[in-house]
């Protein structure tokens, strides 16, 4: 993890200037020393409790014995160590046990766990769950549920998808009706709509693909569940209207957060057996089927969060956070593969260099890193993964700006996050997966075996193009909503940031050509955005949303690399440090090999090409 630490230090302190956040009241107690102490602690826990067991949890998948889900002891040990570190609440206020740590540093520190074992570290949806409740929950919901999640005593999930409705939330069929009977957690005289934990409902339905939906790692599991409240006629409202959000604990609690000893009517219907992320329980849950009847009646007890019918707005607070988290997960899996293949390439002898007379079999073999094509694959991985890490940390810095910056800066950060979130999630999930494929390629036949870790990294990363909104959904969100919102203000702001970087770089001889190329790429993206919507027809505009997003993402990453290169060249001892030479090399690679690809992607966008959308089903 030494290489990762040096990369994080450069991005945090040299590029993002994270130390300057100390000037803000919220972070005034912090210093470079406190930031480093957090990074040191997380690096140590990841090295000791996560990394040694990554293969273990992949091979020993969760098992259900009919009552309990059984996980390797290593997963429990890692969970306890993470909870004890305080990282679950690191960004929270002091008065609830937090560290008031900048989210930029928080995100960097959590990178160690993701690179060490994504399967183990993915049991941490609890933070997003609790953060949602801190924004949308009542004071008592925060106290009883969120704070116990921050301590690690409880853990959390989000329950959106259903067997018949994966990403199509308008087709959610889980229903919630007022619980006219008193809850076991409340006084018998309290009406359903006056329960101190929130308006009390009974939920029935099924939820699919629920990460960490059943386990014994914590005392309780807090499910956040989307369900529809019937209209006045008793029927479910079509579409997303009527979708509300509910806290549905696995075990019922009282108003002090104590377990009542009553199991809620939430039952595990089965475990999904996955290509990757095998150390994480992924579940099908039945709500209200009657396996654990509460007070003799079927229906899972749930407490309304926020206003009726506003569940999606609440849940997307967690979804947007989760999407940036998935981008970081994809990035760290890509980096794990890069580090493994770099080490392999430095130590694997094979082949000989070409001389004037061809290859001389009498000469000793060379290490494969000396072959140009292997270096190409390593540089591709480096440019994808370190670039994606920079992008995700930049987004984390925007979160801090949004929450603690001056009003104008905070609003600009909000707009930039809106535009960049689909990229921060999807670009790493596509191109860091490609990095994992290249890591296998560098290993040759060995890479395709379980003797080396790179095949697991690829399997684990393949989920991320699907996770928290598929590639196609993110593309439609970007082209169909984010670049248009507020009359394109977010896109204009991002373009202004890119233009400012290009202007600075144009005065640096080593970067002037790259600045010109970035300016040209930005112009191409702007023209394609207008061309896509020139016909005013959403079907045409969005038919090639994915190629648009790929081109947009590549342009964003070119900007990120150019900005990083500016920081490198502004430092003393410019290229005497190998790491800085590598950053300039990755910048050069990205502009020479990657950025030119956007022309092909944008051609179909500009032409509103309907080849894919219009082909008759029978032709397939």
């Amino acid at each position: 993890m030494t290489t990762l630490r040096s990369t994080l230090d450069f991005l945090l302190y040299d590029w993002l200037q994270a130390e300057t956040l100390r000037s803000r009241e919220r972070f005034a107690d912090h210093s470079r020393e406190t930031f480093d102490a957090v990074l040191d602690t997380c690096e140590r826990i990841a090295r000791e409790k996560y990394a040694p067991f990554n293969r273990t949890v992949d091979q020993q998948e969760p098992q259900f014995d009919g009552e309990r889900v059984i996980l390797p002891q290593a997963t429990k040990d890692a969970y306890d160590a993470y909870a004890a570190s305080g990282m679950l609440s690191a960004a929270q206020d002091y008065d609830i046990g937090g560290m008031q740590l900048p989210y930029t540093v928080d995100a960097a520190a959590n990178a160690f766990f993701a690179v060490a074992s994504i399967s183990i570290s993915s049991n941490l949806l609890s933070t997003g769950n609790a953060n949602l409740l801190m924004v949308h929950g009542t004071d008592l919901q925060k106290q009883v549920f969120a704070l116990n999640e921050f301590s690690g005593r409880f853990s959390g999930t989000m329950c959106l998808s259903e067997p018949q409705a994966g990403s199509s939330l308008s087709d959610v069929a889980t229903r919630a009706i007022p619980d006219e009977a008193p809850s076991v957690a409340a006084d018998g005289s309290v009406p359903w709509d006056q329960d101190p934990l929130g308006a009390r409902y009974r939920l029935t339905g099924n939820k699919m693909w629920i990460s960490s939906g059943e386990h014994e790692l914590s005392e309780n599991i807090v499910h956040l569940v989307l369900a529809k409240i019937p209209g006045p006629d008793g029927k479910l409202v079509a579409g997303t209207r009527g979708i509300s959000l509910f806290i549905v604990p696995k075990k019922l609690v009282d108003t002090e957060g104590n377990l009542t000893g009553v199991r809620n009517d939430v039952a595990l219907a089965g475990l999904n057996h996955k290509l990757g992320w095998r150390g994480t329980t992924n579940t099908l849950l039945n709500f209200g089927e009657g396996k654990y009847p509460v007070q003799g009646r079927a229906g899972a007890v749930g407490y309304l969060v926020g206003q009726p019918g506003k569940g999606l707005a609440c849940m997307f607070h967690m979804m947007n956070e989760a999407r940036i988290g998935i981008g970081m997960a994809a990035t760290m899996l890509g980096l794990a593969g890069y580090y493994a293949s770099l080490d392999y390439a430095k130590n694997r002898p094979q082949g000989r260099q070409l001389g004037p007379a061809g290859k001389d079999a009498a000469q000793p073999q060379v290490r494969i890193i000396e072959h140009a094509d292997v270096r190409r694959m390593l540089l591709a991985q480096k440019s994808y993964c370190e670039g994606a890490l920079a992008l995700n940390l930049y987004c984390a810095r925007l979160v801090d700006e949004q929450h603690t910056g001056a009003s104008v800066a905070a609003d600009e950060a909000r707009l930039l996050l809106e535009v960049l979130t689909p990229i921060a999630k999807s670009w790493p999930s596509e191109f860091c997966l490609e990095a994992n494929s290249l890591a296998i390629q560098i290993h040759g036949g060995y890479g395709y075996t379980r003797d080396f870790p790179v095949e697991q990294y690829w399997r684990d990363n393949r989920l991320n193009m699907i996770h928290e909104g598929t590639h196609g959904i993110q593309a439609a969100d970007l082209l169909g909503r984010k670049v248009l919102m507020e009359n394109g203000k977010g896109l204009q702001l991002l373009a202004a940031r890119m233009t400012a970087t290009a202007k600075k770089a144009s005065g640096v001889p080593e970067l002037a050509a790259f600045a010109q190329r970035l300016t040209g790429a930005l112009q191409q993206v702007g023209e394609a955005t207008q061309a896509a919507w020139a016909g005013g027809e959403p079907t045409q505009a969005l038919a090639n949303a994915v190629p648009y997003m790929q081109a947009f993402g590549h342009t964003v990453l070119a900007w990120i690399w150019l900005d990083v290169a500016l920081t490198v060249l502004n430092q003393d001892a410019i290229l005497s440090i190998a790491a800085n030479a590598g950053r300039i090399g990755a910048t050069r690679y990205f502009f020479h090999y990657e950025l030119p690809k956007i022309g092909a992607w944008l051609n179909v966008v500009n032409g509103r090409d309907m080849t894919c959308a219009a082909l008759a089903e029978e032709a397939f």
Side-chain angles (χ1 to χ4, degrees), residues 181-230:
S183 165
V184 297
D187 183 87
S189 63
V190 176
W192 71 274
D193 57 348
Q194 296 178 28
D195 191 308
L197 288 175
R200 197 176 61 249
Y201 286 75
R202 292 280 182 146
L203 279 73
T204 55
N206 314 103
K207 293 293 181 177
M208 189 72 164
W209 314 118
I210 309 306
S211 296
S212 303
E214 181 61 45
H215 55 75
E216 303 294 321
L217 299 174
S218 57
E219 289 183 37
N220 204 359
I221 302 175
V222 180
H223 301 292
L224 287 178
V225 184
L226 289 181
K228 288 184 177 179
I229 299 174

Side-chain angles (χ1 to χ4, degrees), residues 190-399:
V190 176
W192 71 274
D193 57 348
Q194 296 178 28
D195 191 308
L197 288 175
R200 197 176 61 249
Y201 286 75
R202 292 280 182 146
L203 279 73
T204 55
N206 314 103
K207 293 293 181 177
M208 189 72 164
W209 314 118
I210 309 306
S211 296
S212 303
E214 181 61 45
H215 55 75
E216 303 294 321
L217 299 174
S218 57
E219 289 183 37
N220 204 359
I221 302 175
V222 180
H223 301 292
L224 287 178
V225 184
L226 289 181
K228 288 184 177 179
I229 299 174
D233 59 358
K235 297 180 180 179
L236 296 183
V237 179
T240 58
R241 291 180 303 113
I243 293 181
S244 303
L245 183 63
F246 300 89
I247 297 168
V248 184
K250 172 183 174 180
K251 300 172 184 177
L252 296 181
V253 300
D254 62 22
T255 54
E256 301 297 320
N258 300 310
L259 303 183
T260 64
V262 176
R263 172 75 184 258
N264 203 358
D265 198 5
V266 182
L268 178 67
L271 295 174
N272 296 308
H273 298 284
K274 308 180 300 300
L275 176 73
W277 293 59
R278 291 178 176 175
T280 309
T281 54
N282 190 273
T283 61
L284 171 63
L285 298 178
N286 292 341
F287 292 85
E289 68 170 4
K291 183 173 183 178
Y292 304 105
V294 178
Q295 295 180 324
R297 296 186 297 123
V301 173
Y303 305 99
L304 182 68
V305 178
Q307 297 299 311
K310 304 295 183 181
L312 279 184
C314 294
M315 184 61 89
F316 268 92
H317 180 97
M318 185 175 180
M319 281 290 289
N320 286 332
E321 187 173 318
R323 284 172 174 170
I324 294 175
I326 288 301
M328 185 63 89
T331 298
M332 303 322 295
L333 282 164
L335 275 172
Y338 169 59
Y339 296 148
S341 62
L342 177 59
D343 180 69
Y344 184 84
K346 287 180 176 181
N347 291 284
R348 166 69 169 173
Q350 184 168 311
R352 292 163 179 83
Q353 294 287 14
L354 281 172
K359 293 183 180 180
D360 183 355
Q363 294 297 316
Q365 289 186 319
V366 297
R367 297 166 304 138
I368 63 173
I369 196 171
E370 297 182 51
H371 298 307
D373 193 55
V374 171
R375 292 192 175 200
R376 176 190 63 81
M377 291 187 283
L378 288 169
L379 259 178
Q381 290 181 73
K382 183 179 180 69
S383 73
Y384 295 157
C385 301
E386 291 185 8
L389 178 58
L391 171 63
N392 277 281
L393 290 179
Y394 179 81
C395 288
R397 184 68 171 76
L398 289 176
V399 171

Side-chain angles (χ1 to χ4, degrees), residues 73-95:
Q73 181 62 37
T75 303
K76 173 64 173 170
D77 294 342
Y79 180 88
D80 290 345
Y82 187 86
S85 74
M87 286 303 294
L88 282 163
S89 60
Q92 299 301 314
D93 295 345
Y94 290 136
D95 59 8

Side-chain angles (χ1 to χ4, degrees), residues 516-549:
Q516 185 177 5
R517 293 177 193 178
L518 176 62
T519 301
L522 181 59
Q523 182 177 349
Q524 286 180 267
V525 170
E527 291 171 352
T529 306
Q530 293 180 334
W533 287 103
E537 184 62 47
T539 302
Q540 286 186 342
L542 300 180
N544 295 293
V546 167
Y548 175 85
M549 183 173 68

Side-chain angles (χ1 to χ4, degrees), residues 502-503 505-506 511-523 562 591 595:
K503 185 176 180 180
S506 65
L511 302 178
F514 298 153
Q516 185 177 5
R517 293 177 193 178
L518 176 62
T519 301
L522 181 59
Q523 182 177 349
L562 188 59
F591 274 87
L595 190 59

Side-chain angles (χ1 to χ4, degrees), residues 499-512:
T499 301
T501 297
K503 185 176 180 180
K504 288 181 184 177
S506 65
V508 179
E510 298 94 329
L511 302 178

